[in-house]
Amino acid sequence: MLNVRNLSKTFNPGTNYELRIFNEFNLHINKGECTGILGANGCGKTTLFNIISGAIRQEKGLIILNGKNIDNLKENERARFIGRVHQNPSAGVSPSLTILENISLSDKKCQKFTLRKLINKHKTEAYKEILSTLDLGLENKLNTEVKYLSGGQRQSLSLLMATMNKPELLLLDEHTAALDPKTSRLVMEKTQELIKTHSITTMMISHNVRDALKYSDRIIMLDKGEIILDVRSSQITEKELLSIYNSRNYGSPLSEAV
Amino acid sequence: MNTLILTSIEQGLIFSVLAIGVTITFKILDFADMSVEGTFPFGAFLFAKLISGGFTPLTSTLLSFVFGTLAGLLTYTLNIKLKIKALLSGILTATILYTINLRLNGKSNVGLFSYSSIYEGFEPVIILILMVFGVKILMDTFLKTEVGYLLIATGDNETLVKSLGEDSNKYKLIGLMISNGLVALSGALMAQYQGFAEITMGTGIIVVGIASIIVGDTVLRKQRFLKLTTRAITGALIYKFIGALAIDLGLAPTDLKAINAIIVIMFLSYNTFNPIKMKKADELKVVEEVKC
Ligand SMILES: Nc1ncnc2c1ncn2[C@@H]1O[C@H](COP(=O)(O)OP(=O)(O)OP(=O)(O)O)[C@@H](O)[C@H]1O
Ligand SMILES: [Mg+2]
């Protein structure tokens, strides 16, 4: 499905701040699967997403999606088949527009934007229904500007917007990190339902080992630009994963998840 | 006093068009477009060129808008294609326009009294109200379209626009072109109103535009659902009136530029020193939303 081949990426090459993130990195993601991506802060998870989605360029290597090399496609052209929820809750929404306006925009994702009116009254009910599945009461705040929402509410809205057009590949970057435990579970379940019903291939970055195990089919752990672990979720336990974190001397040792 | 009110309404209306243009770049796109300083007189000199070339006043006025959009295209090219900082791109465009403005009619001051104008045969204020109303309706309608919303989203969050499959630069171009077109239109309206086009008429004009926006926003702070265009127009009218009042109180017209800047400083510092008021308005809005 997705093939990352011989990827090399260095930030600020040739300066004192030179930082090599990937060197001849290879990764294959299977169709229809949810792959959980684990790894310490700063190990390059978001950078990998940035390269796949076209937000930044690699020096070397190929990104192949469904057999097609997508290297020469710009970020907005890749949006046709890649959906993404960013680590930053505000990155997926337009803060000065209302919830209704944001959803209406994402409903037109990758279609032709014309000089017709954006807001279609007939669709409001359908949007309300989609929003109500989040159980955050957003459906009653259609005319609230998104800047008045909390980070978690924005993040949940971003997920809905990113999956509106059922992308082939969905990139989730700690998309529940900003959510309270209850909402987090809700959004996770919502995510899984979306992924399964539309069989969307998903890569999910998470620092929550338990969630990663529960909701993904395969677990990959990154360290220093390399895959140090690649297993089926069913073949590893939370304890084992945590002990890997601790043994690699990643910053402060982790205690068992809450 | 009556002529003072009428004049400031008329000039306020002319500057409303400018303020709506500046709103698009500074407020919607968050692009500090300084090219306005050249585009405003550009509209005036274009009008002079066209009217002396035999076009009707209305055609000349509308063509000033059309050619004015090219200034936006230039700023866009400098900023997006050549990667020059927004602020500098605008200043470079204004500088180039300075020369173009002088070249257009071969002089720095062109009298227009011998030509007819769109105000002829009517009360200027009526023509201006129609004009501003037309611009407002068009802009309001545009901002409700799919493309219009993408323009707003581009100023807000380019990442989102790209994730929607669109090239956000396209919307910057659209915004810059419309904005500069409107500013040139405003310049053309001003030239006909005062009876001449003059090279210094753009100096400090950006302050007038920004001031109008700030005044409009401050005065209409509580009315959050009012359209941006309404705010810009209200701001331009009030702002112009304050300026006229200052002159009426004995200040020389040449003092006006400093007065302009002082008005901006006053309104800005009012905003800064009234955090409680600002907060209240925000909270109010949220409460209202939850209720409905
Ligand atoms: N645009 C950039 N320029 C320079 N360095 C960068 C840039 N983006 C990221 N980095 C560096 O690359 C490294 C990897 O960053 P990245 O954001 O991919 O980490 P991450 O694995 O997503 O971490 P986290 O779990 O904290 O989100 C970091 O050391 C970061 O400082
Ligand atoms: Mg990250």
Side-chain angles (χ1 to χ4, degrees):
Chain A
M1 203 283 162
L2 174 77
N3 251 314
V4 178
R5 242 184 248 160
N6 297 330
L7 175 71
S8 294
K9 174 74 199 174
T10 307
F11 283 117
N12 308 312
T15 69
N16 286 344
Y17 304 100
E18 182 172 300
L19 184 63
R20 171 168 289 179
I21 306 288
F22 294 111
N23 188 20
E24 303 280 325
F25 177 81
N26 286 288
L27 175 67
H28 178 82
I29 299 289
N30 301 320
K31 199 174 176 69
E33 263 184 21
C34 177
T35 307
I37 317 270
L38 303 180
N41 292 124
C43 77
K45 304 179 296 297
T46 301
T47 305
L48 180 62
F49 276 15
N50 279 336
I51 293 172
I52 295 173
S53 66
I56 62 175
R57 301 229 139 246
Q58 70 272 31
E59 285 98 56
K60 254 188 71 194
L62 299 177
I63 309 294
I64 298 164
L65 191 71
N66 283 329
K68 273 184 321 220
N69 181 0
I70 58 169
D71 277 328
N72 41 22
L73 295 185
K74 289 201 224 106
E75 185 178 6
N76 60 305
E77 292 163 331
R78 295 187 199 185
R80 202 168 292 282
F81 23 81
I82 299 178
R84 181 174 181 189
V85 181
H86 294 261
Q87 193 167 358
N88 169 2
S90 297
V93 290
S94 185
S96 73
L97 296 182
T98 65
I99 294 184
L100 178 63
E101 289 162 342
N102 269 282
I103 292 242
S104 304
L105 274 178
S106 67
D107 198 16
K108 293 239 55 179
K109 184 173 171 178
C110 296
Q111 297 170 33
K112 201 153 177 49
F113 284 82
T114 66
L115 285 175
R116 273 196 291 269
K117 258 183 86 170
L118 173 74
I119 303 297
N120 181 346
K121 292 234 159 56
H122 303 293
K123 291 200 161 173
T124 319
E125 281 310 311
Y127 295 154
K128 275 191 175 178
E129 199 148 303
I130 301 174
L131 283 167
S132 67
T133 60
L134 289 174
D135 211 13
L136 289 171
L138 294 183
E139 65 279 10
N140 303 321
K141 292 192 186 178
L142 280 185
N143 294 316
T144 303
E145 286 159 39
V146 169
K147 65 177 166 219
Y148 296 112
L149 298 183
S150 76
Q153 291 170 327
R154 274 182 229 189
Q155 195 72 301
S156 312
L157 181 62
S158 301
L159 174 71
L160 286 189
M161 289 172 61
T163 50
M164 219 54 180
N165 75 332
K166 313 295 178 293
E168 292 173 38
L169 177 66
L170 179 61
L171 305 176
L172 302 171
D173 196 345
E174 298 182 40
H175 73 303
T176 59
L179 306 178
D180 68 62
K182 175 173 164 266
T183 313
S184 166
R185 208 188 59 232
L186 215 89
V187 169
M188 267 301 179
E189 269 153 23
K190 171 89 191 145
T191 310
Q192 196 173 33
E193 181 196 315
L194 271 167
I195 296 173
K196 293 292 174 233
T197 37
H198 304 283
S199 62
I200 302 171
T201 311
T202 306
M203 294 171 75
M204 182 174 79
I205 296 175
S206 177
H207 288 303
N208 187 325
V209 173
R210 188 173 292 176
D211 272 357
L213 268 178
K214 185 167 166 197
Y215 295 103
S216 39
D217 307 299
R218 172 187 173 198
I219 299 276
I220 281 177
M221 197 183 261
L222 297 180
D223 185 21
K224 307 200 171 61
E226 276 172 39
I227 297 177
I228 55 162
L229 179 80
D230 184 354
V231 287
R232 309 301 303 174
S233 321
S234 52
Q235 286 166 352
I236 195 161
T237 65
E238 194 181 331
K239 259 210 172 78
E240 288 168 316
L241 275 174
L242 286 175
S243 73
I244 299 178
Y245 264 103
N246 288 333
S247 69
R248 303 284 302 192
N249 273 337
Y250 281 150
S252 59
L254 286 161
S255 54
E256 285 222 8
V258 259
Chain B
M1 196 65 189
N2 259 340
T3 37
L4 173 80
I5 293 176
L6 187 64
T7 323
S8 51
I9 289 177
E10 287 165 350
Q11 294 194 0
L13 286 167
I14 293 174
F15 286 128
S16 296
V17 180
L18 167 88
I20 293 174
V22 174
T23 298
I24 298 174
T25 45
F26 276 76
K27 252 197 121 169
I28 298 183
L29 279 181
D30 201 14
F31 188 113
D33 179 21
M34 300 297 287
S35 65
V36 171
E37 300 263 318
T39 316
F40 187 73
F42 184 48
F45 282 100
L46 272 170
F47 177 84
K49 180 82 185 169
L50 292 163
I51 194 95
S52 60
F55 287 95
T56 66
L58 187 62
T59 315
S60 306
T61 308
L62 295 180
L63 280 177
S64 301
F65 171 87
V66 175
F67 287 114
T69 62
L70 296 177
L73 176 64
L74 179 58
T75 307
Y76 169 86
T77 310
L78 296 176
N79 177 236
I80 305 293
K81 299 293 170 198
L82 304 182
K83 309 248 186 279
I84 299 169
K85 285 228 165 27
L87 205 61
L88 187 56
S89 296
I91 293 173
L92 288 170
T93 301
T95 311
I96 292 171
L97 284 176
Y98 184 87
T99 302
I100 293 180
N101 288 338
L102 289 175
R103 284 270 179 178
L104 260 178
N105 303 275
K107 44 188 171 175
S108 60
N109 190 325
V110 191
L112 295 170
F113 291 108
S114 52
Y115 302 106
S116 57
S117 81
I118 54 165
Y119 308 120
E120 227 167 63
F122 302 92
E123 277 297 322
V125 70
I126 303 290
I127 299 290
L128 283 168
I129 288 175
L130 288 176
M131 205 76 184
V132 170
F133 201 66
V135 169
K136 177 183 154 48
I137 297 287
L138 278 174
M139 264 329 286
D140 288 347
T141 313
F142 171 68
L143 288 175
K144 290 283 169 209
T145 65
E146 293 162 7
V147 173
Y149 271 111
L150 280 180
L151 181 75
I152 303 174
T154 297
D156 248 9
N157 179 2
E158 285 189 54
T159 309
L160 171 69
V161 175
K162 288 182 200 155
S163 80
L164 293 171
E166 290 291 305
D167 181 359
S168 51
N169 287 339
K170 184 171 116 191
Y171 296 92
K172 283 194 188 161
L173 175 62
I174 293 175
L176 280 167
M177 287 184 76
I178 298 178
S179 168
N180 278 276
L182 288 175
V183 174
L185 173 63
S186 175
L189 291 174
M190 191 50 139
Q192 297 171 71
Y193 182 81
Q194 61 188 16
F196 58 88
E198 201 249 328
I199 195 68
T200 63
M201 66 192 275
T203 314
I205 204 76
I206 189 65
V207 179
V208 178
I210 296 174
S212 303
I213 296 174
I214 294 170
V215 172
D217 272 354
T218 310
V219 173
L220 300 174
R221 162 145 289 155
K222 293 256 164 66
Q223 282 72 34
R224 287 192 155 259
F225 288 104
L226 276 187
K227 303 208 162 64
L228 287 176
T229 47
T230 314
R231 293 167 188 276
I233 295 167
T234 313
L237 286 168
I238 294 175
Y239 172 76
K240 203 63 223 170
F241 186 70
I242 299 174
L245 212 58
I247 291 189
D248 198 57
L249 292 175
L251 284 157
T254 41
D255 296 337
L256 208 58
K257 298 250 192 273
I259 305 280
N260 283 345
I262 290 168
I263 294 175
V264 174
I265 295 168
M266 271 167 31
F267 272 86
L268 275 180
S269 49
Y270 170 84
N271 287 345
T272 315
F273 293 121
N274 264 288
I276 301 164
K277 267 192 182 156
M278 286 170 76
K279 251 198 184 149
K280 277 230 171 89
D282 284 6
E283 280 162 12
L284 222 80
K285 152 98 188 206
V286 177
V287 172
E288 277 164 17
E289 284 293 334
V290 173
K291 270 194 282 191
C292 71

